[in-house]
């Protein structure tokens, strides 16, 4: 079946957290419409760029784009940006059931509100290996009052202007900024604006809900909880997991989870839903919503104090959750026992020509003006740096626990070329940032694939001993995974999807500052590229019919 959507993308004044600012909406809303489809369907989205003076591109996060690498929506990698006034048609098959996301993938536009969720149902007559009465979704985001332009100019300036902590956390696009915060200009914040009434999720007492939770924060790692209720995690990034019960769910930007929640508490009242920042010293108030027991009024505040959330710097429970996620028996995709290539990616923050950057093996990523997919397919080899990026770093000499100068860091748009169908291991190695005693959590997202998560560890990855601890029995497959502070995360994937695929930190500002790499595989197997992706850089000449 074909699922057709028309998305009109434009700027509007909105007050999602009571503070009025320009934001990007889809058909007048943010989050945009949820895309509903069934496994095997073709999704068609006609994206109308009504931003007037701004380009756009939309990425379908978690959809592998098998056979349609040009529909991945990654500006500079798989397509030229969509110019104002243009309509671009995305057409792709959703080949796996589960919970996915979509969001802008052009500059730092995601942070302006261009995002939503994708739900892919099982084929008829196939049921989930768990029971629920109703299916709901919830998108978590963080929210800045400055425009994404102001934020990106700061990041690119000397001296460096950091984006700082967001002003609000939004649940389903709604939050509540305290309008009496000092420095808030008169007239821009209105606490009684109905646009910022809290999100209410209405439940019928006694029923079990499958709650599909996705995070598309620009910066924040979150802990989500529903006051007084346990949640049973059953799905992660579209894969069934061995169920485990949590009181609070840690979720990083780019991840999705399904949890089962039973409305089994006192039905005469409502309960708080709360999302708290973790991993960074939080100054953002917790995002709140109402878990509304029918027939209580959805706007009736719960009688209790909202949950405070866990301490931001309590790391062990976060690592423990990562380690708890295992593929569900009966749904295990066994990984290949060995790999053909191991790429170690050292994540560092450093200064290049006075600019603060993030680098991978001392290379800070920049996008070429001709998208790689077009450059490689049409052999425009001058379009990007042909020097292969480093396979690793000098682990014997590098102390990950201290601030390092990394004076050899450079900016480059080179990419990793993978042998088609080879098995690749990627080790994400975290390190100290430019601030003493600080290492951050980075959620890394791979386009075009699901990867096996083979393991997590603390400290420096040891290539001769740590692989012995890999989980090759029931590892989960995911498309986004955290690398914890001063830790490592080991992934394996098969380079079997012809195309060019970004792999990057899903923190908007970190990717903007260079924290990413690109993989190419099987470019010769990619079919004829559509005209519609052309028109920028050296691809101008192909855009003429
Ligand atoms: O990229 C970043 O820069 C700041 C800080 O390290 C410099 O002010 C921060 O917290 C980041 O994540």
């Amino acid at each position: 079946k074909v699922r057709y959507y028309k998305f009109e993308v434009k700027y509007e004044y909105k007050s999602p957290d009571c503070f009025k600012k320009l934001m990007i909406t889809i058909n007048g809303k943010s989050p945009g419409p949820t895309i509903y489809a069934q496994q095997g369907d073709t999704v068609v989205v006609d994206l109308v760029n009504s931003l007037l003076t701004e380009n756009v591109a939309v990425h379908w996060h978690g959809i592998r784009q098998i056979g349609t690498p040009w529909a991945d929506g990654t500006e500079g990698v798989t397509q030229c940006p969509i110019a104002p006034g243009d309509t671009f048609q995305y057409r792709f098959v959703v080949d796996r059931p589960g919970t996915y996301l979509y969001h802008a993938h052009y500059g730092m536009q995601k942070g302006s509100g261009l995002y939503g969720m994708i739900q892919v149902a099982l084929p008829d007559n196939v049921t989930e290996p768990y029971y629920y009465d109703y299916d709901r979704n919830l998108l978590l985001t963080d929210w800045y009052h400055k425009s994404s332009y102001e934020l990106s100019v700061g990041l690119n300036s000397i001296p460096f202007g950091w984006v700082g902590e967001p002003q609000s956390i939004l649940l389903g696009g709604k939050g509540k900024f305290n309008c009496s915060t000092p420095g808030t200009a008169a007239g821009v914040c209105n606490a009684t604006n109905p646009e910022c009434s809290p999100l209410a999720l209405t439940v019928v007492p006694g029923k079990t809900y499958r709650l599909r939770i996705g995070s598309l924060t620009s910066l924040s790692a979150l802990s989500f909880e529903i006051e007084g209720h346990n949640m049973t995690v059953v799905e992660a990034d579209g894969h069934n997991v061995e169920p485990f019960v949590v009181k609070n769910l840690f979720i990083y930007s780019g991840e999705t989870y399904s949890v089962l929640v039973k409305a089994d508490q006192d039905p005469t009242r409502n309960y708080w839903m709360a999302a708290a920042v973790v991993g960074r010293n939080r100054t953002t108030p917790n995002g709140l919503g109402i878990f509304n027991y029918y027939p209580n009024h959805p706007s009736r505040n719960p009688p209790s104090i909202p949950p405070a959330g866990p301490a931001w710097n309590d790391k062990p429970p976060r690592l423990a959750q990562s380690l708890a996620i295992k593929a569900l028996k009966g749904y295990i995709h066994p990984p290949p026992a060995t790999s053909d290539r191991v790429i170690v990616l050292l994540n560092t923050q450093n200064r290049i020509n006075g600019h603060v950057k993030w680098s991978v093996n001392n290379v800070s990523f920049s996008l070429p003006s001709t998208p790689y997919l077009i450059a490689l397919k049409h052999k425009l080899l001058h379009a990007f740096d042909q020097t292969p990026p480093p396979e690793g770093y000098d682990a014997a000499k590098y102390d990950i626990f201290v601030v390092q100068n990394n004076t050899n860091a450079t900016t480059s748009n080179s990419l990793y070329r993978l042998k088609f169908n080879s098995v690749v291991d990627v080790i994400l190695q975290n390190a100290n940032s430019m601030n003493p005693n600080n290492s951050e959590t980075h959620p890394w997202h791979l386009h075009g694939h699901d990867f096996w998560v083979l393991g997590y560890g603390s400290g420096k990855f040891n290539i001769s001993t740590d692989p012995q601890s890999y989980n090759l029995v029931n590892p989960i497959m995911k498309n986004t995974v955290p690398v914890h502070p001063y830790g490592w995360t080991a992934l394996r994937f098969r380079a079997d999807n012809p195309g060019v695929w970004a792999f990057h930190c899903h923190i908007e500002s970190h990717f903007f500052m260079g924290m990413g790499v690109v993989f190419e595989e099987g470019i010769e197997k990619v079919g004829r590229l559509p005209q519609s992706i052309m028109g920028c850089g050296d691809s101008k000449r192909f855009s003429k019919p």
Side-chain angles (χ1 to χ4, degrees):
K1 275 235 281 284
V2 175
R3 307 276 173 171
Y4 179 78
Y5 288 82
K6 182 171 175 176
F7 280 13
E8 192 191 3
V9 172
K10 62 172 187 289
Y11 272 103
E12 290 184 74
Y13 277 106
K14 290 274 186 194
S15 307
D17 65 346
C18 306
F19 182 97
K20 184 170 151 188
K21 67 165 275 194
L22 275 178
M23 69 181 294
I24 300 180
T25 59
I26 302 173
N27 304 342
K29 295 214 160 66
S30 171
T34 299
I35 292 179
Y36 293 97
Q38 208 173 11
Q39 184 175 5
D41 286 350
T42 297
V43 171
V44 177
V45 180
D46 276 330
L47 194 97
V48 185
N49 180 357
S50 300
L51 297 176
L52 305 180
T53 58
E54 187 175 329
N55 292 330
V56 71
V58 175
H59 170 55
W60 315 94
H61 181 115
I63 309 298
R64 294 181 295 172
Q65 303 292 356
I66 294 167
T68 54
W70 48 76
D72 189 49
T74 311
E75 186 273 328
V77 179
T78 65
Q79 71 168 105
C80 291
I82 307 164
D86 278 359
T87 296
F88 184 92
Q89 185 168 87
Y90 288 101
R91 174 185 281 269
F92 53 88
V93 172
V94 287
D95 66 313
R96 300 204 68 260
T99 310
Y100 306 99
L101 305 162
Y102 64 81
H103 60 84
H105 216 297
Y106 176 67
M108 287 177 52
Q109 210 171 44
K110 176 179 85 181
S112 299
L114 207 181
Y115 38 58
M117 298 184 77
I118 304 173
Q119 284 186 204
V120 184
L122 286 166
D124 292 339
N125 310 321
V126 183
T127 51
E128 306 285 2
Y130 41 86
Y131 177 81
Y132 53 92
D133 298 296
Y134 298 107
D135 198 342
R136 297 283 182 271
N137 68 37
L138 173 64
L139 185 62
L140 306 175
T141 51
D142 52 10
W143 194 242
Y144 287 93
H145 290 169
K146 283 187 180 165
S147 74
S148 34
Y149 286 102
E150 210 171 336
L151 298 177
S152 60
V153 168
L155 295 174
N156 202 37
S157 294
I158 302 174
F160 178 62
W162 172 235
V163 297
E165 297 301 307
Q167 279 62 57
S168 298
I169 302 297
L170 310 183
L171 277 64
K174 281 156 169 286
K176 201 159 223 58
F177 181 69
N178 178 358
C179 291
S180 16
T181 305
T184 308
V188 295
C189 198
N190 172 4
T192 60
N193 188 326
E195 283 176 23
C196 59
S197 60
L199 177 86
L201 194 94
T202 302
V203 296
V204 174
K207 297 293 182 193
T208 298
Y209 288 79
R210 173 186 187 174
L211 184 57
R212 301 170 186 254
I213 308 170
S215 170
L216 284 175
T217 52
S218 288
L219 176 70
S220 315
L222 297 175
S223 162
F224 174 79
E225 66 188 286
I226 305 174
E227 185 193 10
H229 294 72
N230 282 331
M231 301 183 283
T232 306
V233 181
V234 291
E235 181 213 344
D237 293 4
H239 290 273
N240 293 323
V241 306
E242 261 328 314
F244 62 99
V245 178
V246 295
K247 196 184 136 317
N248 60 296
L249 176 78
F250 297 108
I251 182 165
Y252 305 92
S253 182
E255 289 190 313
T256 67
Y257 289 96
S258 281
V259 298
L260 303 181
V261 195
K262 189 167 187 199
D264 58 2
Q265 297 300 303
D266 173 5
T268 63
R269 53 164 288 193
N270 291 335
Y271 297 83
W272 293 109
M273 297 190 288
V277 173
V278 291
R280 304 183 67 95
N281 194 349
R282 69 169 84 108
T283 58
T284 314
N286 293 352
L288 297 177
I290 295 177
F291 197 63
N292 165 230
Y293 272 57
Y294 183 83
N296 297 289
H297 199 278
S299 69
R300 191 169 140 212
N301 273 353
S304 44
I305 298 168
W312 71 270
N313 53 359
D314 188 11
K315 285 195 295 188
R318 294 196 278 130
L319 182 59
Q321 181 188 300
S322 293
L323 292 167
I325 307 178
K326 301 282 173 348
L328 178 63
K329 206 167 166 230
Y331 296 81
I332 300 169
H333 304 273
T338 56
S339 67
D340 302 306
R341 183 169 172 186
V342 181
I343 303 174
V344 181
L345 301 179
L346 174 70
N347 295 201
T348 59
Q349 189 190 33
N350 43 349
R351 212 176 284 278
I352 303 177
N353 299 329
H355 293 276
V356 176
K357 295 282 184 188
W358 287 90
S359 300
V360 172
N361 296 340
N362 262 348
V363 177
S364 183
F365 177 74
S366 65
L367 284 163
S369 61
T370 309
Y372 294 104
L373 184 62
I374 306 170
L376 286 162
K377 184 76 189 164
H378 291 281
K379 304 201 166 54
L380 308 174
L381 298 184
H382 53 279
F384 61 90
D385 182 357
Q386 298 296 305
T387 323
E391 296 283 299
Y393 71 108
D394 192 347
K397 293 211 187 103
Y398 195 96
D399 185 348
I400 64 156
F401 294 101
V402 298
V403 178
Q404 298 266 5
N405 277 330
N406 299 314
T407 41
N408 296 328
T410 53
T411 296
S412 169
N413 55 21
S414 58
L415 88 177
Y416 292 90
R417 305 198 67 165
L418 307 177
K419 188 167 179 284
F420 185 68
N421 220 19
S422 63
V423 177
V424 180
D425 282 3
V426 173
I427 317 299
L428 292 165
Q429 175 67 60
N430 213 335
N432 205 106
S433 72
M434 279 168 49
N435 304 312
N437 303 312
N438 174 257
S439 178
E440 301 184 7
T441 306
H442 302 281
W444 278 76
H445 170 59
L446 178 59
H447 293 225
H449 305 79
D450 292 337
F451 47 73
W452 291 275
V453 183
L454 300 183
Y456 298 87
S458 299
K460 199 190 282 180
F461 177 78
N462 182 324
I463 200 146
S464 47
T465 55
D466 283 323
Q468 291 157 27
S469 69
Y470 285 170
N471 175 9
L472 299 173
V473 178
N474 58 354
I476 184 70
M477 296 193 86
K478 290 185 104 264
N479 61 63
T480 306
V481 77
V483 56
H484 292 286
Y486 300 111
W488 55 265
T489 301
L491 322 174
R492 179 167 293 175
F493 67 96
R494 191 178 283 280
D496 58 0
N497 190 10
V500 188
W501 308 108
F503 179 47
H504 62 91
C505 176
H506 214 258
I507 292 175
E508 195 78 330
S509 46
H510 288 180
F511 181 50
F512 185 80
M513 291 162 74
M515 197 168 201
V517 298
V518 170
F519 297 121
E520 172 276 327
E521 69 214 42
I523 191 72
E524 62 291 342
K525 295 187 169 56
V526 171
R528 198 187 150 84
L529 301 179
Q531 293 272 311
S532 58
I533 66 168
M534 314 277 186
C536 58
D538 287 339
S539 76
K540 283 192 193 83
R541 60 176 121 147
F542 302 116
S543 60
K544 291 177 198 77

